[in-house]
Amino acid sequence: MSEEQLVRANELISSFKSRMGEPLKTWQGRLRVGVDLGTANVVVAVVDETGRPVAGAMKPAQVVRDGLVVDYVGAVDIVRRLVNNLRAVLGAELTIASTAVPPGTGNRDSRATRHVVESAELQVLSVVDEPTAASAVLGVRDGAVVDVGGGTTGISILNEGKVVYTADEPTGGTHFTLVISGHYGLSFNEAEAMKLDPGRQPDLLPLVRPVMEKVAAIVRRHLRGWDVSNVYLVGGAFSFHGFVDVMRRQLDVPVLCPPEPLLVTPLGIALYCPAG
Ligand SMILES: Nc1ncnc2c1ncn2[C@@H]1O[C@H](COP(=O)(O)OP(=O)(O)OP(=O)(O)O)[C@@H](O)[C@H]1O
Ligand SMILES: [Mg+2]
């Protein structure tokens, strides 16, 4: 990936972050929606026909586990609310969407995800796998994209723009929280709040480092035998200060992590929606 591409990707992600607080008032062509039903967060991204981020919304939610919709009613409720709110804020019709599932998700589970999105009166034009969606934002044609979200570590290896290998393992940021909760005798929510406090992260790093090293070991195992020149890290778990360095030390391949890693996959999902 060239320096220029990296700068462009970082600008795109930062612009999406700004649009989440302040949506655009004008855009070009038909709006496209991306819905990321994650283990930890539901994120909705809106881009215009040219791929410019227009708006976004997010809600922490426990409606999905390891790519499976475990609370269908809850998921429908959140997606409808977020999408309807964006319709109201933008004063625009939102009609077409794309969504995503972890690599290797079966047809039945993909269908459940699709139905949740359709319940918000969106026509689902594509269902992509999560790390592949992220690669669209990063402009990656060669290398590995590793998405560590709340519940899962997804890995996609790309060669000349094609996905040649995908894997998904059930370890993610939720496991950091569980370790903190066990250590301090806190509830999950209390431990999560402690983890998200940047001031606490240096103290918590030694505690969660073994989980980070486990993620690195998982990634190393899946990369074995592939000629990978770079590893791109996305997903909210990389917002934990120090995690990227642990990965850097444990992998033999250069690693890159954009600002706002949590927003990359949702934005990529929207970009994957055909213009219609
Ligand atoms: N600033 C932060 N510091 C540390 N961890 C963070 C921060 N922001 C988010 N996280 C963690 O990132 C995880 C959520 O990331 P993300 O939204 O990418 O996951 P998801 O897409 O919901 O889950 P998955 O992809 O596994 O289904 C949570 O575990 C959350 O605690
Ligand atoms: Mg995710």
Side-chain angles (χ1 to χ4, degrees), residues 24-206:
L24 283 186
K25 293 194 173 66
T26 56
W27 51 84
Q28 279 181 46
R30 202 169 180 193
L31 294 174
R32 301 180 277 158
V33 179
V35 179
D36 186 353
L37 286 179
T39 311
N41 294 300
V42 175
V43 187
V44 178
V46 182
V47 301
D48 74 3
E49 210 158 287
T50 67
R52 203 145 68 114
V54 170
M58 170 170 144
K59 191 172 183 334
Q62 273 81 48
V63 292
V64 167
R65 205 168 296 141
D66 301 339
L68 296 170
V69 180
V70 290
D71 175 4
Y72 189 83
V73 175
V76 164
D77 183 53
I78 290 172
V79 173
R80 269 193 194 148
R81 263 178 222 235
L82 291 177
V83 172
N84 285 336
N85 195 37
L86 287 168
R87 284 181 172 123
V89 166
L90 292 169
E93 284 196 333
L94 299 175
T95 54
I96 52 170
S98 172
T99 188
V101 290
T105 304
N107 276 342
R108 225 174 88 203
D109 297 325
S110 304
R111 260 204 305 277
T113 300
R114 180 189 276 269
H115 288 155
V116 170
V117 179
E118 284 170 350
S119 76
E121 281 151 77
L122 287 165
Q123 193 188 349
V124 176
L125 299 184
S126 79
V127 182
V128 63
D129 86 70
E130 289 164 358
T132 303
S135 72
V137 176
L138 302 170
V140 173
R141 289 184 54 81
D142 291 283
V145 177
V146 174
D147 183 346
V148 185
T152 58
T153 293
I155 300 155
S156 271
I157 301 179
L158 291 106
N159 189 294
E160 294 182 356
K162 280 215 172 66
V163 180
V164 290
Y165 179 78
T166 58
D168 197 63
E169 302 245 8
T171 303
T174 299
H175 301 85
F176 299 3
T177 308
L178 291 174
V179 168
I180 296 165
S181 149
H183 183 83
Y184 290 102
L186 299 172
S187 71
F188 183 88
N189 288 342
E190 288 166 342
E192 177 76 9
M194 185 188 269
K195 181 183 82 169
L196 298 184
D197 178 354
R200 297 303 303 267
Q201 290 183 357
D203 296 342
L204 296 174
L205 186 60

Side-chain angles (χ1 to χ4, degrees), residues 163-273:
V163 180
V164 290
Y165 179 78
T166 58
D168 197 63
E169 302 245 8
T171 303
T174 299
H175 301 85
F176 299 3
T177 308
L178 291 174
V179 168
I180 296 165
S181 149
H183 183 83
Y184 290 102
L186 299 172
S187 71
F188 183 88
N189 288 342
E190 288 166 342
E192 177 76 9
M194 185 188 269
K195 181 183 82 169
L196 298 184
D197 178 354
R200 297 303 303 267
Q201 290 183 357
D203 296 342
L204 296 174
L205 186 60
L207 197 61
V208 296
R209 190 189 295 273
V211 188
M212 294 175 172
E213 288 173 347
K214 185 183 171 202
V215 171
I218 289 170
V219 173
R220 218 174 30 230
R221 176 157 50 80
H222 285 286
L223 296 190
R224 208 172 284 150
W226 293 98
D227 181 21
V228 165
S229 50
N230 284 293
V231 174
Y232 301 90
L233 305 175
V234 301
F238 289 112
S239 302
F240 195 115
H241 198 72
F243 189 13
V244 174
D245 284 334
V246 170
M247 295 296 281
R248 191 163 281 138
R249 253 176 270 128
Q250 304 270 324
L251 300 177
D252 318 321
V253 187
V255 307
L256 292 149
C257 182
E260 309 299 338
L262 190 148
L263 298 178
V264 180
T265 300
L267 177 58
I269 297 171
L271 294 174
Y272 248 92
C273 177

